Amino acid sequence: MTASPTPAAGRPLLDVADLHVEFDTHGGVVKAVRGVSFSVQAGRTLAIVGESGCGKSVSVLSVMGLVPTPPGRITRGAARLGDVDILRRKIVDGHDVRGSRIAMIFQDPMSALNPTMRVGDQIAETLQVHRGLSRADAFRRAVEVLAQTHIPDAEARAKQYPFTFSGGMLQRAMIAMAIACEPEVLIADEPTTALDVTIQAQILDLLQELQRRTGMAIVLITHDLGVVARMADDVSVMYAGEIVESGSADDVFYRSAHPYTLGLRAAMPSQATTKAAGLQPIEGTPPDLFDPPPGCAYVARCPHAMHLCRPHRPEPFQVDPAHHARCWLHHPGAPAGRDGVYRGARA
Amino acid sequence: MLAYTVKRLLQGAATVWFIATATFVAMHSVPGDPLANQRATSEEIRRNLEERYGLDRPVIEQYGIFLGSMLRGDFGISFTQENRRVNDIIRENFPVSATLGILAVTFAALGGILWGALTALYRNRLPDLVITFLVILGISVPSFVVAALGQLALVNLNAAVGEPLLPVAGWGTLRHMIVPSLVLGLGTMAYLTRLMRSSMLEIADADFIRTARAKGLPPTRIFLKHQLRNAILPVVTVLGPAIAAITTGGFVVELVFAIPGLGRYFVTAVQQLDYTVIMGTTVFYGAFLVVMVIAVDLLYGWIDPRVRLE
């Protein structure tokens, strides 16, 4: 497998800007994604973290063109892959960018594969469609790709049906399917959530190994901070349809600049066994996205909320050069407190 | 696979034996005299006839004789039609019924899959609403009404064209077969359409369809290779019973369109208590249906690999 041509360093491969997605439901319009921006460079891994329903999956599904319309609707924003806005145009040079330049793996490998089609054929299919290979050539190549995901006896396995595979093997097959056309960007939507812990580690190792070999960018959607720590170069923390903090993994973990990120860290299990080291849940629930609050979305649960947080929506403040947080505490006029929120190297 | 087939065939043989026994018992419990319509005018003639058909022996012995000759594939001689062997009746008339049935099933299955897929594709839009309305009509209207209406339509069509475009009744050429098999398959087709529609809609939301889209496959390929094949499974499951419904429903259609099928004998034999014809046609139809159901199960295994290993 040859590495994809790497663009000039520093220039993002996938650049999503100001994405807004809404859904029509019986209860009204849900504003699921409200101005999300993120970007990822070749060979790097961006993790998008957040609790269930915060819009992280919808964001990447929009990029893939997989949000069902209706009821979904992308009302604003752009997603550039190289020079092409793939929100508007999925077909570039006669080929669908999905599956060839940008690929995706899903949470539940048990249901993500076609039960009545041989695994090898499902991998070969993308090669036939995007690379124009013949059936036989595509199948041969599919066996090679399957072997790259460390499935033993790939030749025989490729001729079998998904129901004979275990969950971990299916996720490997799913990854093989995604990387068959050597995509520049791989989106992994909770790739290990449905698997047990030992298999999780193997799958993450596999993703890293493939990334090192091909130089692809990975966008990893997860709610598991352990997975983030293991995999991510950069992290974006999502809350209620917006990104509240973004920066390098070290920035976000060790220099958390948003109260929500601090809350997430406190809610993480640690290895300490004392009662005091127990989990600290974030009190309350996320806001109703039928009618999102005008100001900061986290205000109702934030221990550091101020008067202006409720009516005024904070813009992302720059904490350090590549570290942003959507929180009024970073306004020059905010009081400096002992709240544990990192205020930047200058502070 | 072979072991499975053999096992199913043995089960099928047991089923046929059960059908034969149940029919035999039921037939002999029906009050009436199979020779009443015959020329059993005097006691002597009656005795001769009873001796000829073995009716003078105890019922249990008759049952033994029947089973023995059934195993040899011989159903005996008709009570009502002089010297006519039941085997000949089946041999002469069954191919007509089978042709009609196969055409009707083919039409029902293809039509059901096609219309079902179409309604799912146009969900809640005009084509869906129109077809769904027709489907409810097709399920509710009994086949003898559809048959009569079909004939009426044919008469009017032929009158409008000015020459006999399609024959109104009878049997022989392919043109004779078209309308009766459409009429016979209509109810089943309507049922399969509904089944296919809901199955298609269910599959459309499946995760693996999303995967196929994420792979950037063209919509036609997703539809044919991923959605259709998986959606067909429930339809195939009910094909066995559907074949049963169509072959038994065939009697009425055969009657209306004056088709020389086996169904006529099946019905009149019961009315006339023609013991050998009743047994022959029932066991034959029973065996035919059992074989069809087994064939459908094997077909199911071919379509869905998950079933194959069992």
Side-chain angles (χ1 to χ4, degrees):
Chain A
M1 191 179 246
T2 52
S4 323
T6 320
R11 192 167 157 229
L13 206 52
L14 175 68
D15 188 18
V16 175
D18 199 28
L19 182 68
H20 286 72
V21 187
E22 298 177 352
F23 287 91
D24 291 325
T25 69
H26 290 298
V29 177
V30 178
K31 299 184 180 65
V33 175
R34 307 182 295 139
V36 160
S37 303
F38 60 84
S39 61
V40 59
Q41 294 166 19
R44 288 180 75 86
T45 301
L46 166 73
I48 301 180
V49 204
E51 59 198 275
S52 304
C54 72
K56 51 193 195 300
S57 284
V58 172
S59 300
V60 289
L61 288 173
S62 307
V63 172
M64 287 297 286
L66 294 174
V67 165
T69 49
R73 200 164 45 223
I74 297 172
T75 50
R76 208 175 342 145
R80 300 193 159 276
L81 181 68
D83 294 328
V84 190
D85 182 359
I86 55 174
L87 283 188
R88 308 274 174 276
R89 202 152 68 95
K90 300 250 153 6
I91 310 288
V92 178
D93 303 333
H95 285 284
D96 201 322
V97 294
R98 293 177 297 186
S100 59
R101 295 184 60 191
I102 178 165
M104 184 161 180
I105 58 178
F106 297 94
Q107 185 177 134
D108 185 1
M110 309 285 186
S111 58
L113 277 94
N114 182 344
T116 59
M117 203 170 167
R118 288 173 210 278
V119 171
D121 286 334
Q122 296 192 50
I123 300 169
E125 204 174 27
T126 52
L127 292 159
Q128 283 173 270
V129 168
H130 297 297
R131 292 290 154 86
L133 295 187
S134 72
R135 235 188 110 118
D137 285 346
F139 196 86
R140 256 194 300 281
R141 181 84 190 103
V143 172
E144 288 170 28
V145 179
L146 205 55
Q148 280 175 22
T149 63
H150 307 303
I151 285 188
D153 201 7
E155 178 105 42
R157 280 299 189 170
K159 293 189 182 117
Q160 293 178 353
Y161 290 90
F163 73 98
T164 59
F165 279 48
S166 68
M169 296 250 280
L170 280 177
Q171 196 59 295
R172 286 174 193 273
M174 189 74 220
I175 290 171
M177 209 180 293
I179 63 162
C181 288
E182 298 167 22
E184 295 153 56
V185 181
L186 177 69
I187 295 176
D189 188 359
E190 311 231 11
T192 57
T193 310
L195 307 173
D196 56 52
V197 185
T198 49
I199 308 295
Q200 282 187 13
Q202 293 174 14
I203 294 292
L204 295 177
D205 286 347
L206 173 65
L207 286 174
Q208 278 184 321
E209 180 197 325
L210 292 169
Q211 183 180 41
R212 271 198 302 277
R213 201 181 320 162
T214 65
M216 66 184 173
I218 295 180
V219 179
L220 180 71
I221 307 297
T222 183
H223 59 251
D224 186 339
L225 292 183
V227 172
V228 177
R230 188 187 181 108
M231 296 283 291
D233 299 308
D234 303 296
V235 178
S236 288
V237 181
M238 263 189 96
Y239 184 77
E242 47 187 27
I243 288 178
V244 293
E245 180 169 359
S246 61
S248 72
D250 283 351
D251 280 343
V252 173
F253 268 106
Y254 300 113
R255 296 178 284 277
S256 308
H258 195 284
Y260 178 61
T261 315
L262 285 171
L264 279 185
R265 271 173 50 195
M268 226 179 126
S270 73
Q271 290 188 334
T273 49
T274 57
K275 203 166 184 187
L279 304 183
Q280 288 290 316
I282 302 177
E283 299 293 335
T285 52
D288 183 3
L289 289 181
F290 286 113
D291 184 21
C296 171
Y298 191 58
V299 64
R301 305 168 83 180
C302 181
H304 316 298
M306 301 175 287
H307 287 299
L308 91 163
C309 295
R310 201 169 290 277
H312 300 289
R313 189 182 184 200
E315 288 305 309
F317 286 93
Q318 189 180 56
V319 184
D320 279 332
H323 187 187
H324 294 83
R326 205 184 262 274
C327 178
W328 283 120
L329 287 177
H330 300 287
H331 189 270
R338 287 181 294 274
D339 43 30
V341 175
Y342 175 74
R343 302 294 170 88
R346 287 159 300 167
Chain B
M1 193 65 181
L2 185 71
Y4 173 74
T5 312
V6 170
K7 189 179 143 209
R8 289 302 309 269
L9 284 175
L10 287 177
Q11 283 174 346
T15 311
V16 172
W17 169 78
F18 182 79
I19 292 171
T21 307
T23 313
F24 190 88
V25 171
M27 185 175 76
H28 280 274
S29 336
V30 173
D33 179 4
L35 299 178
N37 294 333
Q38 290 249 359
R39 300 147 308 272
T41 41
S42 71
E43 273 306 304
E44 202 184 341
I45 294 174
R46 170 171 285 274
R47 255 200 314 281
N48 277 340
L49 285 170
E50 282 185 346
E51 200 185 320
R52 183 178 172 196
Y53 293 117
L55 291 176
D56 51 348
R57 307 192 195 178
V59 172
I60 190 75
E61 203 181 320
Q62 289 184 40
Y63 176 66
I65 292 170
F66 161 72
L67 277 190
S69 45
M70 186 181 90
L71 283 177
R72 288 194 305 275
D74 178 12
F75 290 114
I77 300 163
S78 166
F79 280 35
T80 52
Q81 299 174 60
E82 201 67 36
N83 285 329
R84 210 160 165 222
R85 286 160 45 79
V86 178
N87 288 29
D88 291 336
I89 294 178
I90 294 174
R91 194 177 310 130
E92 282 161 29
N93 297 286
F94 178 68
V96 175
S97 293
T99 311
L100 181 67
I102 287 167
L103 280 177
V105 169
T106 311
F107 161 66
L110 292 182
I113 290 167
L114 178 73
W115 296 125
L118 211 64
T119 48
L121 226 51
Y122 286 93
R123 179 186 196 177
N124 293 341
R125 309 221 309 262
L126 192 64
D128 178 28
L129 299 178
V130 170
I131 295 172
T132 308
F133 173 74
L134 292 176
V135 156
I136 292 169
L137 216 61
I139 290 177
S140 352
V141 179
S143 63
F144 61 87
V145 175
V146 180
L149 288 176
Q151 255 180 342
L152 184 66
L154 268 185
V155 170
N156 288 333
L157 178 76
N158 289 342
V161 176
E163 55 178 301
L165 202 62
L166 289 171
V168 173
W171 194 253
T173 65
L174 188 66
R175 295 197 308 157
H176 285 98
M177 302 173 188
I178 295 171
V179 175
S181 51
L182 289 185
V183 168
L184 182 55
L186 192 73
T188 308
M189 187 192 77
Y191 172 61
L192 293 182
T193 301
R194 268 168 55 122
L195 197 69
M196 187 68 189
R197 179 180 185 269
S198 57
S199 175
M200 283 290 286
L201 290 178
E202 199 186 308
I203 297 290
D205 288 335
D207 282 355
F208 63 83
I209 296 296
R210 189 183 58 185
T211 306
R213 272 199 221 103
K215 280 154 76 175
L217 305 181
T220 44
R221 192 183 179 108
I222 296 176
F223 179 76
L224 291 174
K225 296 202 84 170
H226 294 269
Q227 199 175 357
L228 203 59
R229 183 172 179 146
N230 285 287
I232 281 175
L233 293 174
V235 174
V236 176
T237 313
V238 301
L239 260 191
I243 290 171
I246 281 182
T247 36
T248 45
F251 307 155
V252 174
V253 174
E254 283 177 13
L255 203 68
V256 173
F257 285 95
I259 295 167
L262 195 54
R264 189 157 46 101
Y265 292 93
F266 196 76
V267 176
T268 52
V270 175
Q271 288 167 348
Q272 297 173 345
L273 277 181
D274 191 340
Y275 282 179
T276 47
V277 178
I278 292 176
M279 289 313 298
T281 48
T282 312
V283 169
F284 181 77
Y285 262 126
F288 176 68
L289 291 182
V290 164
V291 169
M292 279 305 167
V293 169
I294 293 174
V296 164
D297 283 354
L298 295 179
L299 176 73
Y300 195 85
W302 178 69
I303 293 182
D304 188 349
R306 283 167 296 185
V307 183
R308 232 172 270 169
L309 285 185
E310 263 95 283

